[in-house]
């Protein structure tokens, strides 16, 4: 299925632009017409992080005339392993401004518009409506569903990508011509089930592989060339070095883009995706301590059993002295090893997984168990600043 170009051609290219884009202009499928369409195109990148970096850089180099950047975060040292649009001297700067400067260094003819705000139901419609195409590089489910729903309700296509460790996925969602994200994933995963990149890690160069698919699809849609990735999901496995293309059908019962949609406006996405499950929230109520409290318990020699519920690779990076490691998924099988006569104290990286694990423990009768708010990150920032934060 080929689709007509998303964008009308600009009136003309300047002499400088003709020189700059000559390697595009001599490709018959792109040629002057396609390059003029790119010049006229307005593309919004949601996020200037792992996927936004290669996407913005290549869209800029390709000559997309207007690039929007929706990003509210600042550049952190731990971003540089994969977010190649930012450099060492950008640490601490606004990511949006850092990305804008990099784009202008690559191509001064690009008009960059910054949206330095967290996308939410109050601003997404106004921001998206200014663009022809959205490229989604977010790494959390709440924003992902927000982007999908806003695009479907506005009738806009968007290019989606996701990355985790060695695995990546990408697709083009355009309800008018194929499925939307909800056709593929009607419900978000249960809170705490799918770790984010911050929790699970990502091979930096994976961003280039998936960002490259996203950028390629964006250029194809804008110029109307080739077979767009509508109704297909690309699945990339870096360890096997394999790409698979899986057919994805529009779900006629889709709550958003189906025949009888029940979602006709934007919803509360934080509540829809949940930060922690109801069980975890209940378990943590009244059973949450601060890292500084844990420190004083340890200093006083309180009889506690300190359990780290993260994964072994995280344990190797940093741990709280005196802890033992039982990854969250293995906890149910190790309940009999936990002492009944001492208070069990759980921690993880940020306090989300430990709250989930706390629900498991409470359910098994460990009524005095508690977990540490902010996890080992709070410990490393409030108690022992010599430890690394990852
Ligand atoms: Zn749908």
């Amino acid at each position: 299925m080929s689709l007509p170009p998303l964008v009308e051609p600009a009136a003309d290219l300047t002499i400088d632009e003709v020189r700059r884009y000559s390697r595009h202009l001599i490709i018959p499928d792109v040629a002057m017409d396609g390059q003029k369409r790119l010049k006229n195109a307005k593309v919004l990148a949601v996020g200037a992080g792992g996927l936004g970096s290669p996407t913005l850089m290549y869209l800029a180099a390709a000559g997309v005339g207007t690039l929007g950047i929706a990003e509210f975060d600042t550049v952190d040292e731990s971003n540089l392993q994969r977010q190649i649009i930012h450099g060492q001297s950008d640490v601490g700067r606004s990511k949006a401004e850092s990305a804008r400067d990099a784009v202008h260094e690559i191509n001064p003819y690009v008009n960059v518009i910054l949206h330095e705000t967290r996308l939410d139901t109050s601003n997404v419609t106004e921001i998206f409506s200014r663009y022809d195409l959205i490229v989604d590089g977010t790494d959390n489910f709440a924003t992902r569903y927000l982007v999908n729903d806003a695009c479907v309700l506005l009738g806009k296509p968007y290019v989606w990508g996701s990355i985790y460790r060695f695995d990546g996925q990408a697709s083009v969602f355009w309800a008018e011509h194929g499925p939307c994200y909800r056709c593929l994933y009607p419900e978000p995963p249960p809170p705490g089930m799918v770790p984010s990149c911050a929790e699970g890690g990502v091979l930096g160069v994976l961003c280039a592989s998936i960002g490259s698919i996203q950028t390629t699809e964006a250029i194809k849609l804008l110029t109307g060339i080739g077979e767009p990735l509508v109704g297909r999901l690309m699945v990339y496995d870096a360890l096997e070095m394999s790409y698979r293309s899986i057919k994805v059908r529009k779900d006629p019962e889709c709550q958003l883009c189906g025949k009888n949609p029940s979602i006709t406006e934007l919803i509360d996405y934080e509540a829809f995706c949940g930060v922690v499950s109801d069980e975890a929230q209940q378990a943590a109520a009244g059973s949450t301590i601060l890292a500084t409290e844990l420190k004083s318990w340890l200093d006083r020699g309180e009889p506690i059993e300190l359990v780290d519920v993260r994964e072994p690779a995280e344990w190797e990076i940093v741990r709280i002295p005196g802890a033992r490691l039982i990854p969250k998924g293995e906890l149910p099988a190790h309940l009999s090893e936990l002492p009944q006569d001492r208070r069990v104290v759980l921690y993880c990286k940020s306090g989300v997984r430990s709250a989930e694990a706390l629900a498991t423990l409470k359910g098994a009768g460990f009524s005095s168990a508690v977990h540490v708010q902010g996890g080992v990150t709070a410990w490393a920032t409030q108690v022992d600043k010599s430890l690394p934060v990852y």
Side-chain angles (χ1 to χ4, degrees):
M1 170 182 63
S2 64
L3 292 170
L6 266 182
V7 181
E8 291 301 310
D12 46 24
L13 299 185
T14 64
I15 298 288
D16 289 340
E17 287 169 333
V18 169
R19 269 200 301 269
R20 174 176 287 260
Y21 305 126
S22 63
R23 300 300 186 278
H24 272 170
L25 298 174
I26 56 179
I27 305 175
D29 303 88
V30 181
M32 190 58 86
D33 178 77
Q35 196 64 48
K36 285 179 178 173
R37 291 183 197 274
L38 292 177
K39 180 176 179 177
N40 225 8
K42 300 184 182 73
V43 178
L44 175 71
V46 180
L51 293 173
S53 288
T55 303
L56 282 165
M57 292 166 89
Y58 270 111
L59 287 175
V64 168
T66 301
L67 282 176
I69 303 173
E71 175 65 71
F72 61 91
D73 209 354
T74 51
V75 181
D76 181 83
E77 206 176 5
S78 71
N79 299 152
L80 302 180
Q81 159 262 16
R82 66 197 177 286
Q83 302 183 13
I84 56 161
I85 201 165
H86 314 294
Q88 182 65 40
S89 61
D90 297 314
V91 171
R93 288 184 73 199
S94 137
K95 274 194 187 178
E97 289 179 14
S98 160
R100 175 200 57 204
D101 293 353
V103 162
H104 280 153
E105 181 61 23
I106 291 167
N107 188 344
Y109 304 124
V110 179
N111 170 35
V112 179
I113 301 170
L114 302 188
H115 306 279
E116 291 194 79
T117 176
R118 190 187 285 268
L119 280 185
D120 60 29
T121 50
S122 75
N123 58 27
V124 70
T125 306
E126 191 273 319
I127 293 175
F128 280 17
S129 57
R130 296 197 229 166
Y131 295 90
D132 303 303
L133 180 68
I134 317 295
V135 181
D136 179 23
T138 51
D139 71 344
N140 69 83
F141 287 95
T143 312
R144 206 168 271 170
Y145 280 94
L146 172 71
V147 168
N148 180 71
D149 293 7
C151 284
V152 172
L153 293 172
L154 285 166
K156 282 189 195 291
Y158 79 101
V159 191
W160 167 81
S162 98
I163 46 174
Y164 180 70
R165 293 189 175 164
F166 300 99
D167 299 315
Q169 300 184 357
S171 191
V172 172
F173 295 115
W174 195 355
E176 209 175 299
H177 299 283
C180 81
Y181 182 74
R182 282 181 186 268
C183 295
L184 184 59
Y185 299 111
E187 299 275 337
M193 283 296 290
V194 178
S196 65
C197 286
E199 281 175 339
V202 59
L203 187 73
V205 69
L206 191 76
C207 303
S209 307
I210 299 302
S212 146
I213 296 174
Q214 290 184 280
T215 313
T216 307
E217 290 305 311
I219 290 170
K220 284 161 61 185
L221 289 167
L222 296 169
T223 56
I225 59 176
E227 291 277 318
L229 198 55
V230 173
R232 285 183 296 145
L233 176 70
M234 284 302 295
V235 179
Y236 172 60
D237 181 332
L239 290 181
E240 283 184 12
M241 193 44 76
S242 66
Y243 285 94
R244 283 184 300 142
S245 165
I246 297 169
K247 211 170 171 62
V248 186
R249 287 178 208 287
K250 192 178 182 75
D251 177 5
E253 305 303 322
C254 176
Q255 287 187 302
L256 182 68
C257 77
K259 285 177 304 204
N260 297 302
S262 56
I263 303 166
T264 53
E265 57 185 22
L266 299 172
I267 62 170
D268 181 344
Y269 294 91
E270 295 294 341
F272 177 60
C273 296
V275 179
V276 293
S277 68
D278 291 345
E279 296 79 27
Q281 241 163 34
Q282 276 172 17
S287 298
T288 301
I289 61 165
L290 301 174
T292 47
E293 279 178 276
L294 173 62
K295 168 75 169 132
S296 56
W297 287 9
L298 290 170
D299 288 348
R300 285 205 305 265
E302 296 260 342
I304 61 166
E305 181 82 0
L306 186 58
V307 179
D308 186 326
V309 296
R310 298 172 302 153
E311 298 302 313
E314 300 177 270
W315 168 263
E316 275 185 46
I317 299 169
V318 60
R319 68 191 82 154
I320 300 177
R324 63 183 287 195
L325 177 69
I326 308 178
K328 189 181 104 203
E330 296 170 25
L331 197 57
H334 289 80
L335 287 174
S336 61
E337 296 166 24
L338 293 176
Q340 298 284 353
D341 58 341
R342 293 198 297 283
R343 190 198 285 273
V344 178
V345 179
L346 303 175
Y347 76 88
C348 63
K349 180 185 180 184
S350 66
V352 175
R353 280 174 285 172
S354 59
E356 301 286 343
L358 187 63
T360 306
L361 276 198
K362 298 249 176 190
F366 292 86
S367 54
S368 68
V370 295
H371 86 127
V372 181
Q373 186 178 319
V376 72
T377 307
W379 182 271
T381 50
Q382 294 163 18
V383 176
D384 184 353
K385 292 186 178 136
S386 70
L387 295 176
V389 174
Y390 66 101

